[in-house]
Amino acid sequence: MPEIKLAIDAMGGDNGPSIVIEAITECLKHPDSPQFLVVGQDDILQPLLQHYQIDKHPQIKVVHAEQVVEMTDKPGQALRAKQNSSMSVALQLLAKGEADAVVSGGNTGALMAKAYFQLKTLPGVLRPALMAALPNQQGGRSYLLDLGANASCDSETLFQFGVMGSVAAQTVEHIRSPRVALLNMGEEEIKGNDVVKNAASRLSESEHVNYTGFVEGNHLFSGKADVIVCDGFVGNIALKSCEGLATLIFEQLKSALMSHWMYRWFFRFLQKRTEKSWDRLKPDHYNGASLIGLRGVVIKSHGSASAKAFASAIRQAITEAQEQLPERIKDRVESVLLEQQ
Amino acid sequence: MPEIKLAIDAMGGDNGPSIVIEAITECLKHPDSPQFLVVGQDDILQPLLQHYQIDKHPQIKVVHAEQVVEMTDKPGQALRAKQNSSMSVALQLLAKGEADAVVSGGNTGALMAKAYFQLKTLPGVLRPALMAALPNQQGGRSYLLDLGANASCDSETLFQFGVMGSVAAQTVEHIRSPRVALLNMGEEEIKGNDVVKNAASRLSESEHVNYTGFVEGNHLFSGKADVIVCDGFVGNIALKSCEGLATLIFEQLKSALMSHWMYRWFFRFLQKRTEKSWDRLKPDHYNGASLIGLRGVVIKSHGSASAKAFASAIRQAITEAQEQLPERIKDRVESVLLEQQ
């Protein structure tokens, strides 16, 4: 397998470049580590690379970029005014074929706009989608898309998301025939708005998708489907609502556990003994949303990601690049378009 | 204050009439208990009332209804074919003024359809909405609406939901000037689809609502707003996604805790010592969604509610009836319509 080259936007994210360099240092320890094109301000990156003793590492190359997209920049402004930003330069390396994937923890709106503009969608793909893996009760992962690349979608776009999500689940999760479902406010055929109803009939007609019907929100985590499709408005709100609830539950748990030394002691003991089963629920393991449907692999890391979480996003990028996910999506979309003729 | 009369659909819900009668028995212990019109099949209800020794209670009256709306009935079928169901008869008592509120744990779709048809909306109200209270990190409750009465809404309807939710938060939660927010995929003004953007400008123009802007899904539980407005498709999916995540977290916690006798022992100990702080997160305390905007108080209890949870729904009905919530919504909507002229 040819060596993978990753362009890393080292300046994005709330926690700055240090967690990015720490994550890269961690990834370099693996024997089949990729090449890293570390994109950002040279005078900030060099001292960090020296600190982690990887400034002379043969797998590391710094690519200087003068500008930085701030988390508060509006996507449109970032698109026009920040063409020499670390984010744009990283995407440019991908567009020119000098990198196989981009990882960025920067401003989500700006990344989606720039990636769409600089890379373009694959032939026949209507819209890119932001997709993430969620842990499920069956011990596996379910993909949810779109998480916010599109505020509203027509039924044809939702249908394509089903196709693209299916290819991703096959390619990355190695599921032979992924169960694709549409997120709806009920499971009966008559439920929901016209867009989901029409998407349902499109999905059930296609031979290229194993469509299994509507699922309700509680099935995001049940494992009833491998790929769950919705528009970006709904997906974004569903995921963030869950983030909010998780925060509430864990704060409550923490305050209950921290109220007495004995609880604290027991909690640490329990945490150690059950680490493995909890590990798969930790956000660190689910960091790395894929922006799919584009001519290249683009992974969005959470803005507040830790070094460990950023490393998960890097691994996601490596897998998608190795498995040539965009190429496979292109082939499937071509077959689907032929089927329609 | 005149005595409140509640019409209880005793036949709805997954757990049958016994939990309903148990909940009523519990409520009768309070000194200012309402009158109960217990609606359902006489031959099933009488033995249960005898079992709980309330068959001769002066606050209890059984109203016979031959039919039962099944959880699997389609709303349209239930509307046409089951006009003598416990659900319909209970709503009829409310429509005729013989009851002040209805509580039902039955088929949600059928209840919404029947309530809309039998009671009608308040003058000027475009659509009824299903509204529930969620616990928040500030120790209070935030209202979320719509939870599924409307698969899609125009901006005027969302605006009215903001008005109605605001009245409910004032009336039931006694918040002087409830902060009303719109649920969106971002907090910046440019985010989201046209419907939420137009609803935002309508809300910010009105003097009758304290509109505070967009909130993202994570703020459902943060306490940033007292009333959070969205269409029924989004609200339903957000709430059910949270249900799904809570199930996943608690199952994981349980399996970790049950794996050793010492964990089990500690857990029971901890549970007892921190019961009060957990109590407010328990679904039992949040049971009872209000169908607002109608000419009468209608409370939907969760299909799988326990007796304790059903009793919460009954208390919600008593409060809304005592505070004359529909009357207050009618007055506010009138003022809003005058403002627009």
Side-chain angles (χ1 to χ4, degrees):
Chain A
M1 205 178 289
E3 195 185 41
I4 298 295
K5 287 197 194 92
L6 296 188
I8 309 286
D9 167 12
M11 309 301 287
D14 304 326
N15 301 324
S18 72
I19 71 108
V20 176
I21 306 303
E22 190 186 335
I24 292 174
T25 309
E26 203 46 51
C27 292
L28 283 170
K29 290 177 187 163
H30 284 262
D32 52 354
S33 157
Q35 277 250 349
F36 287 99
L37 306 170
V38 187
V39 188
Q41 290 166 334
D42 202 57
D43 54 337
I44 290 179
L45 296 178
Q46 287 298 350
L48 281 168
L49 293 166
Q50 282 163 22
H51 173 80
Y52 285 99
Q53 303 181 328
I54 56 168
D55 54 316
K56 301 209 164 44
H57 198 288
Q59 308 278 92
I60 291 277
K61 190 183 156 195
V62 173
V63 179
H64 178 67
E66 195 51 47
Q67 295 174 302
V68 174
V69 175
E70 305 296 336
M71 297 307 258
T72 50
D73 284 347
K74 299 246 184 298
Q77 288 172 345
L79 194 62
R80 285 183 300 272
K82 297 207 170 164
Q83 295 182 17
N84 290 316
S85 59
S86 54
M87 193 184 275
S88 283
V89 172
L91 289 165
Q92 211 48 50
L93 291 168
L94 177 57
K96 287 190 291 186
E98 293 172 24
D100 301 297
V102 165
V103 182
S104 173
N107 185 319
T108 312
L111 182 64
M112 291 190 299
K114 281 178 185 286
Y116 182 58
F117 189 78
Q118 292 183 234
L119 298 173
K120 315 285 185 227
T121 49
L122 290 162
V125 169
L126 297 166
R127 295 282 311 159
L130 198 62
M131 181 184 77
L134 305 176
N136 67 41
Q137 279 175 269
Q138 294 176 20
R141 294 153 46 110
S142 301
Y143 280 128
L144 178 65
L145 76 165
D146 173 30
L147 296 174
N150 311 277
S152 54
C153 296
D154 59 16
S155 53
E156 192 62 25
T157 305
L158 290 182
F159 164 67
Q160 282 202 351
F161 290 172
V163 173
M164 297 197 294
S166 179
V167 177
Q170 283 177 322
T171 308
V172 180
E173 306 291 321
H174 304 292
I175 300 167
R176 209 175 51 83
S177 176
R179 295 157 301 164
V180 176
L182 278 164
L183 193 56
N184 198 354
M185 58 190 284
E187 302 200 347
E188 307 85 7
E189 272 177 42
I190 54 148
K191 282 286 172 81
N193 54 42
D194 290 341
V195 176
V196 292
K197 284 182 205 165
N198 292 337
S201 70
R202 283 288 288 117
L203 281 163
S204 56
E205 280 160 14
S206 176
E207 282 187 10
H208 297 280
V209 189
N210 173 19
Y211 176 65
T212 55
F214 293 138
V215 291
E216 294 187 76
N218 51 321
H219 286 296
L220 289 189
F221 303 96
S222 73
K224 195 179 179 184
D226 302 303
V227 178
I228 300 166
V229 174
C230 58
D231 69 39
F233 192 89
V234 169
N236 183 285
I237 287 171
L239 199 67
K240 290 209 174 137
S241 300
C242 291
E243 258 182 59
L245 178 66
T247 305
L248 179 72
I249 293 176
F250 284 117
E251 291 225 333
Q252 198 77 25
L253 188 61
K254 215 169 109 184
S255 83
L257 286 166
M258 292 302 146
S259 61
H260 193 285
W261 66 266
M262 201 169 68
Y263 304 166
R264 283 196 292 276
W265 170 83
F266 177 78
F267 181 63
R268 273 198 291 273
F269 176 74
L270 181 70
Q271 210 176 15
K272 228 171 181 164
R273 291 289 295 264
T274 61
E275 203 167 7
K276 220 170 159 187
S277 74
W278 281 108
D279 233 31
R280 54 176 288 272
L281 292 193
K282 282 187 195 152
D284 281 8
H285 285 243
Y286 289 84
N287 188 39
S290 312
L291 194 56
I292 63 170
L294 297 172
R295 295 168 197 246
V297 172
V298 180
I299 304 293
K300 167 71 178 84
S301 165
H302 201 288
S304 62
S306 64
K308 202 173 167 188
F310 201 93
S312 286
I314 290 176
R315 279 193 294 277
Q316 180 76 15
I318 296 170
T319 306
E320 291 189 12
Q322 276 173 342
E323 302 282 351
Q324 301 185 296
L325 182 59
E327 198 60 32
R328 296 203 192 202
I329 290 176
K330 178 178 150 280
D331 292 346
R332 183 74 62 89
V333 170
E334 253 170 29
S335 311
V336 168
L337 292 173
L338 280 174
E339 175 188 59
Q340 285 171 238
Q341 280 169 358
Chain B
M1 204 177 290
E3 195 186 41
I4 298 294
K5 287 197 196 90
L6 295 188
I8 309 287
D9 168 12
M11 309 302 287
D14 303 327
N15 302 324
S18 72
I19 70 108
V20 176
I21 305 304
E22 191 185 335
I24 292 174
T25 309
E26 203 46 52
C27 292
L28 283 171
K29 290 178 187 163
H30 285 263
D32 52 353
S33 156
Q35 277 249 349
F36 287 98
L37 306 171
V38 187
V39 188
Q41 289 166 334
D42 203 58
D43 54 336
I44 291 179
L45 296 178
Q46 288 298 350
L48 283 166
L49 292 167
Q50 281 162 23
H51 174 79
Y52 285 99
Q53 303 180 328
I54 56 168
D55 54 315
K56 301 210 163 47
H57 198 289
Q59 308 278 95
I60 291 278
K61 189 184 156 196
V62 173
V63 179
H64 178 67
E66 195 52 46
Q67 294 173 302
V68 174
V69 175
E70 304 296 336
M71 297 307 257
T72 49
D73 283 347
K74 299 247 185 296
Q77 288 172 344
L79 194 62
R80 285 184 301 273
K82 296 206 169 163
Q83 294 182 18
N84 290 316
S85 59
S86 53
M87 192 184 275
S88 283
V89 172
L91 288 166
Q92 210 49 48
L93 290 169
L94 177 57
K96 288 190 291 184
E98 293 172 24
D100 302 296
V102 165
V103 182
S104 173
N107 184 319
T108 312
L111 182 65
M112 292 190 300
K114 281 179 185 287
Y116 183 59
F117 188 79
Q118 292 184 233
L119 298 173
K120 314 286 184 226
T121 50
L122 289 163
V125 168
L126 297 166
R127 294 282 311 159
L130 198 62
M131 182 183 77
L134 305 176
N136 66 42
Q137 279 176 270
Q138 295 177 20
R141 292 152 50 109
S142 302
Y143 280 127
L144 179 64
L145 75 165
D146 173 30
L147 296 174
N150 310 277
S152 54
C153 296
D154 59 16
S155 53
E156 192 62 26
T157 305
L158 290 183
F159 164 67
Q160 282 202 350
F161 290 172
V163 173
M164 297 198 294
S166 179
V167 177
Q170 283 177 321
T171 308
V172 180
E173 305 292 321
H174 305 293
I175 298 167
R176 207 175 53 81
S177 176
R179 297 157 300 165
V180 176
L182 278 164
L183 193 57
N184 198 354
M185 58 190 284
E187 301 200 345
E188 307 86 8
E189 273 178 41
I190 53 149
K191 283 286 171 80
N193 54 41
D194 291 341
V195 176
V196 292
K197 284 182 206 167
N198 293 336
S201 70
R202 283 288 287 117
L203 282 163
S204 56
E205 281 161 14
S206 176
E207 283 186 10
H208 296 280
V209 188
N210 174 19
Y211 176 65
T212 55
F214 292 138
V215 292
E216 294 187 76
N218 51 320
H219 287 295
L220 289 190
F221 303 96
S222 73
K224 195 179 178 182
D226 303 302
V227 178
I228 301 166
V229 173
C230 59
D231 69 38
F233 192 90
V234 169
N236 182 285
I237 286 170
L239 199 68
K240 290 207 174 139
S241 300
C242 290
E243 258 182 57
L245 179 67
T247 306
L248 179 72
I249 293 176
F250 285 116
E251 291 226 331
Q252 198 76 24
L253 189 62
K254 216 169 110 186
S255 84
L257 286 166
M258 293 303 146
S259 61
H260 194 285
W261 66 267
M262 200 169 69
Y263 304 165
R264 283 196 292 274
W265 170 83
F266 178 79
F267 181 66
R268 273 198 292 272
F269 176 74
L270 182 71
Q271 210 176 14
K272 226 171 183 166
R273 290 290 294 267
T274 62
E275 203 167 6
K276 218 171 161 187
S277 74
W278 280 108
D279 232 31
R280 55 175 286 274
L281 292 193
K282 283 187 194 150
D284 281 8
H285 286 241
Y286 289 84
N287 187 41
S290 312
L291 195 55
I292 63 169
L294 296 173
R295 297 168 195 243
V297 172
V298 180
I299 304 293
K300 168 70 178 86
S301 165
H302 201 288
S304 62
S306 64
K308 202 173 166 187
F310 200 93
S312 287
I314 290 176
R315 279 193 295 276
Q316 180 76 16
I318 296 170
T319 306
E320 291 188 14
Q322 275 174 342
E323 302 281 352
Q324 299 185 297
L325 183 59
E327 198 60 32
R328 295 202 193 202
I329 290 176
K330 179 179 150 279
D331 292 346
R332 183 74 62 88
V333 170
E334 254 169 30
S335 311
V336 168
L337 292 174
L338 281 174
E339 173 189 61
Q340 284 170 241
Q341 278 169 359

